[in-house]
Amino acid sequence: PGVSKAYNEGAELAKFLDKKFLFILDQDTILPINFPSSYQSSVTLFPNYPLYAPQVYSGNLLFSPCRYIFRKGSNFSSIKPGKHKLLYKNVLNSGLLVDLDAFRTVDGYDENVKLYFSDFIFFDRLKKYYKYFVVLDCRLDHQLSSVDYSNIEIAIKRFSYYCTGARQASRHNLLAFINQFVVIGIRSLLMSYRFKSFKFFFIYKEFFLGFTG
């Protein structure tokens, strides 16, 4: 059913257990030893915000939070801890601490988006109700998910999730759709060449463009 369904189920369990926050963590993220105190001090210093986001790196590159304009993400060289505007920014799922009242206010994650872009769409939902979030003074190291180039079945499934998420994320913005149309179209051709199979182009046509048959 995808990660969005899992996060929503986790939030329901947290509500039943009378918790205040939902903590989201990917299996390929490494936490620093002092992460509990880093999160706690930020929540104490900046109470009552909808979301607390760590600084997520892959190697030496900061991936989250990122700059997000016309539904296209780009990397910051660095970002200061503390209160930030939600506008023109976005985050990755891993490491997020979400206030459960805010989670319910925005109706959680979009379960139609099973994996890729689920975080961007959730953050866009927050922007409709809130102006600010908090960046934590805490670095997480993350291994970015990539297609398994040794297994075509896994690659096909992931690429279908990617195309579906991209379509959902850009469906209300023509410029973003055009950008994704080009980027994902090229990617589908490269994947088809790598695996010597046109299945990736047909996935792009069906799951991103919406053409079947």
Side-chain angles (χ1 to χ4, degrees), residues 2 13 15-16 19 30 37 53 83 91 94 96 107 128 164:
L13 176 60
K15 178 182 177 182
F16 175 76
K19 303 299 182 182
I30 300 173
S37 59
K83 184 177 78 171
V91 295
S94 194
L96 295 182
D107 201 26
K128 296 177 182 179
T164 300

Side-chain angles (χ1 to χ4, degrees), residues 77-145:
S77 58
S78 62
I79 191 166
K80 291 182 178 180
K83 184 177 78 171
H84 286 263
K85 287 185 177 180
L86 287 154
L87 189 64
Y88 302 133
K89 294 182 183 70
N90 227 310
V91 295
L92 298 181
N93 285 322
S94 194
L96 295 182
L97 188 68
V98 189
D99 181 274
L100 282 168
D101 288 336
F103 191 94
R104 289 189 287 270
T105 295
V106 305
D107 201 26
Y109 276 74
D110 184 346
E111 294 183 10
N112 292 312
V113 184
K114 297 179 182 296
L115 184 60
Y116 297 103
F117 299 95
S118 60
D119 33 25
F120 281 27
I121 293 172
F122 176 70
F123 207 66
D124 279 345
R125 288 184 172 193
L126 281 177
K127 291 173 186 176
K128 296 177 182 179
Y129 296 89
Y130 302 96
K131 291 185 178 181
Y132 298 97
F133 74 111
V134 174
V135 175
L136 303 170
D137 187 12
C138 185
R139 170 175 172 155
L140 276 56
D141 290 298
H142 183 70
Q143 178 65 50
L144 288 175
S145 297

Side-chain angles (χ1 to χ4, degrees), residues 125-176:
R125 288 184 172 193
L126 281 177
K127 291 173 186 176
K128 296 177 182 179
Y129 296 89
Y130 302 96
K131 291 185 178 181
Y132 298 97
F133 74 111
V134 174
V135 175
L136 303 170
D137 187 12
C138 185
R139 170 175 172 155
L140 276 56
D141 290 298
H142 183 70
Q143 178 65 50
L144 288 175
S145 297
S146 59
V147 172
D148 183 347
Y149 293 118
S150 65
N151 188 317
I152 189 171
E153 296 304 321
I154 292 175
I156 286 171
K157 182 179 290 187
R158 280 186 171 272
F159 191 63
S160 67
Y161 288 165
Y162 186 84
C163 290
T164 300
R167 180 181 175 87
Q168 290 289 103
S170 61
R171 67 189 185 279
H172 298 309
N173 187 293
L174 179 60
L175 186 61

